[in-house]
Amino acid sequence: MTAPTELLDWWERGEQHLGTALGRVTDEEFGAASLLPGWSRAHLLAHVARNADALVNLLGWARTGVERPMYASPEARDELIALTAARAPAELRNDVLSATRRLAGAVREMPESAWSVEVRTAQGHTVPAAAVPWMRCREVWVHAVDLDAGVDFTDVPDDVLAALGDDVFRMWDARGQMPDVTVFAGDREWGSGALAVAGPLPVVVAWLTGRSTGEGLRADGPLPALEVWL
Ligand code: ZN
């Protein structure tokens, strides 16, 4: 297995995109609500920073063969995020950017052979290390929207949007939670259920990822409630 070049490109652009969104948030706005229920922007950014560290752990595990979980436990994860979110805005901003740089460094250190080494995610899934850039990619593109800093799904490249749609359906399939829909966006199509749902790709992906209730979609009947994605 080689380094996932396309994914690395999407991921790097996603980090830049998130950095741009972050640059628009003033210190005073850190405490205000993000678009994720119950999470302030500071909490969301803290999660993004600690997620980068967690993925550095997985890449280190793949590179060295020494098991390093993303987080010691779910409680430890929540505690780390809460501690990070309590920092002053300038510190938190630096923390996000330096955690991102550490992750970029860990990616550069990966020998080709290490990308196929299997590691375990915080959800307990066994994946090759090559899946890690995608795990980060979906975090940065979607949380840039959640930050409520003036970017939305129309700012996400079509290829990344399509991959997000694939990811949502893959998750539902794995958990036996497939909704009874067939979803159309341009030349993309997901599912094989009874209800046809169609719309522009950004609108579709906002709905599939739980970031909208389906405004702007066309359907033959009422939209179903969707299971959460992640
Ligand atoms: Zn996240």
Side-chain angles (χ1 to χ4, degrees):
M1 193 177 290
T2 56
T5 313
E6 187 181 40
L7 280 180
L8 290 176
D9 177 54
W10 292 352
W11 157 66
E12 285 188 325
R13 286 159 63 197
E15 296 283 7
Q16 286 164 11
H17 181 67
L18 180 75
T20 303
L22 172 57
R24 293 183 187 169
V25 181
T26 64
D27 288 4
E28 293 71 34
E29 292 169 336
F30 269 60
S34 75
L35 298 180
L36 283 183
W39 278 26
S40 67
R41 289 195 180 98
H43 198 93
L44 177 67
L45 290 166
H47 159 62
V48 167
R50 299 294 70 86
N51 170 263
D53 292 345
L55 296 178
V56 167
N57 287 349
L58 292 190
L59 293 181
W61 176 353
R63 192 166 46 79
T64 64
V66 179
E67 182 168 332
R68 291 169 67 188
M70 289 177 68
Y71 304 97
S73 67
E75 296 74 29
R77 169 188 181 271
D78 293 347
E79 199 173 314
L80 271 176
I81 293 172
L83 279 172
T84 306
R87 304 175 77 178
E91 284 179 45
L92 180 48
R93 198 179 279 116
N94 283 335
D95 189 354
V96 171
L97 298 176
S98 53
T100 297
R101 279 195 295 274
R102 286 194 297 275
L103 177 59
V107 167
R108 277 194 301 272
E109 277 184 64
M110 284 286 280
E112 291 284 305
S113 59
W115 289 110
S116 58
V117 174
E118 293 200 320
V119 295
R120 195 174 55 255
T121 69
Q123 290 85 25
H125 303 300
T126 300
V127 298
V132 169
W134 170 248
M135 289 168 65
R136 181 64 178 178
C137 192
R138 68 187 179 198
E139 290 288 319
V140 290
W141 284 106
V142 175
H143 287 325
V145 176
D146 295 334
L147 198 55
D148 195 18
V151 305
D152 61 28
F153 283 96
T154 62
D155 299 300
V156 182
D158 281 0
D159 288 347
V160 176
L161 287 171
L164 287 169
D166 293 345
D167 196 65
V168 173
F169 272 83
R170 202 163 45 231
M171 291 286 185
W172 284 337
D173 193 25
R175 300 193 300 240
Q177 296 175 333
M178 201 66 102
D180 191 17
V181 294
T182 304
V183 180
F184 301 92
D187 58 356
R188 321 273 185 176
E189 183 182 333
W190 295 277
S192 55
L195 181 72
V197 179
L201 189 54
V203 176
V204 163
V205 171
W207 180 58
L208 294 176
T209 56
R211 267 64 183 177
S212 91
T213 50
E215 308 83 43
L217 295 174
R218 297 184 308 279
D220 305 338
L223 293 173
L226 300 174
E227 295 291 342
V228 294
W229 164 39
L230 291 173

